[in-house]
Amino acid sequence: MSKRWLFLSAAAVLIVVSLALVLLPGHNDDETVKAEEGSAVTEPSATGSSPANSPSPSGSSTASARATAASKKPSATPSARATTKPAATSATKAGQQASGTASLAGRIRPGVTYRGVATFYDADGGGACMYDPSGDVMTGAMNSTDYESSKACGAYVLVHAANGASITVRITNECPGDCAPGQIDLSAQAFAKLAAPSAGRIPITWNLASPSTSDTISIRYKTGSTRYWCGIQAIGHRNPLARLEVRAGSSWRQLERADYNYFLSEDGSGCGGALRLTDIYGQQLTVPALAVRANVTQPTQVQFAKH
């Protein structure tokens, strides 16, 4: 009888110990937190960019592919932000060490060949860049991605077809909607220099050009401009325009560029004063003060150097 009692007592003790272990708080929660942290840390690495200048299967430029990847980057948790902070610091240092041209150029950069397709439309030289229609219809409408909120306006691009034909066009318009990164919607006349219109759509490569020209840059104030608010447009620049600044007191003030290709001074600073233009190569030109004459094209005596 005493042995049986001892056996039952020992069994009861084992049951109590087992229940205590099972009900111990925080056991499963710790494993769950560790698993969630590991998932959050590894997700951002999936958005790493591809090697520079490697064409994507769709024919779009590498720059476009990288921008698409960046836009799809998942939201980071606090632990992921802490983990990825060193990478962000490295990217900043790399940007600081990059050439001035790379930082000024935006998406479309000198010396880079882009791939895409060419289509065509009835162009008159006008469009989203707000240039006047003209007899020069060797123009093109850049896809919205590479148009980059009007940064492509006025740029000259050399377009190559697979058959060896090529044509230089000036970007005067935006091609929204179905135009993919790398695509240029050419004027019908420009497309005909590359292929028969019946082709409709052809593969192309293209790159920035810096053509010879005897023309100088012109300046135009937007309709409605006064000394208290103005929009300023530069026309006829040989190289893509990176910045437009106005003289405000003893310093230069950079104006924001609207997607319709005017640089805006919302408070009137610099309206009617001297201007400073900077191209993507870093060259700066100073334009003496011009009167605020709305919607009047005023010539200057300056032009960017050929590259």
Side-chain angles (χ1 to χ4, degrees), residues 49 52-53 61-64 66-67 91 94-115 142 145-148 151-152 155-158 205-210 239-242 279-281 307:
S49 60
N53 298 339
S61 67
T62 302
S64 299
R66 283 200 294 267
Q96 291 172 346
Q97 294 170 356
S99 68
T101 298
S103 61
L104 290 172
R107 293 182 55 80
I108 304 175
R109 304 188 177 197
V112 178
T113 296
Y114 299 88
R115 297 181 181 275
M142 185 63 74
T145 301
D146 295 319
Y147 180 79
E148 198 178 3
K151 284 185 179 180
Y156 288 89
V157 295
L158 179 59
T205 59
W206 55 271
N207 52 272
L208 277 178
S210 180
N239 305 320
L241 190 62
D279 71 4
I280 62 171
Y281 299 97
H307 285 265

Side-chain angles (χ1 to χ4, degrees), residues 215-218 236-237 277 285-288 299-304:
D215 295 336
T216 57
I217 297 171
S218 296
H237 40 86
L277 312 177
L285 303 174
T286 301
V287 178
T300 72
Q301 302 299 315
V302 298
Q303 181 59 272
F304 292 119

Side-chain angles (χ1 to χ4, degrees), residues 51-134:
N53 298 339
S54 60
S56 67
S58 64
S60 62
S61 67
T62 302
S64 299
R66 283 200 294 267
T68 302
S71 67
K72 295 181 179 179
K73 185 175 180 179
S75 299
T77 62
S79 59
R81 284 197 295 269
T83 303
T84 57
K85 187 174 182 180
T89 302
S90 299
T92 301
K93 289 180 179 178
Q96 291 172 346
Q97 294 170 356
S99 68
T101 298
S103 61
L104 290 172
R107 293 182 55 80
I108 304 175
R109 304 188 177 197
V112 178
T113 296
Y114 299 88
R115 297 181 181 275
V117 297
T119 49
F120 65 91
Y121 74 110
D122 292 328
D124 61 4
C129 294
M130 300 292 286
Y131 299 133
D132 290 335
S134 70

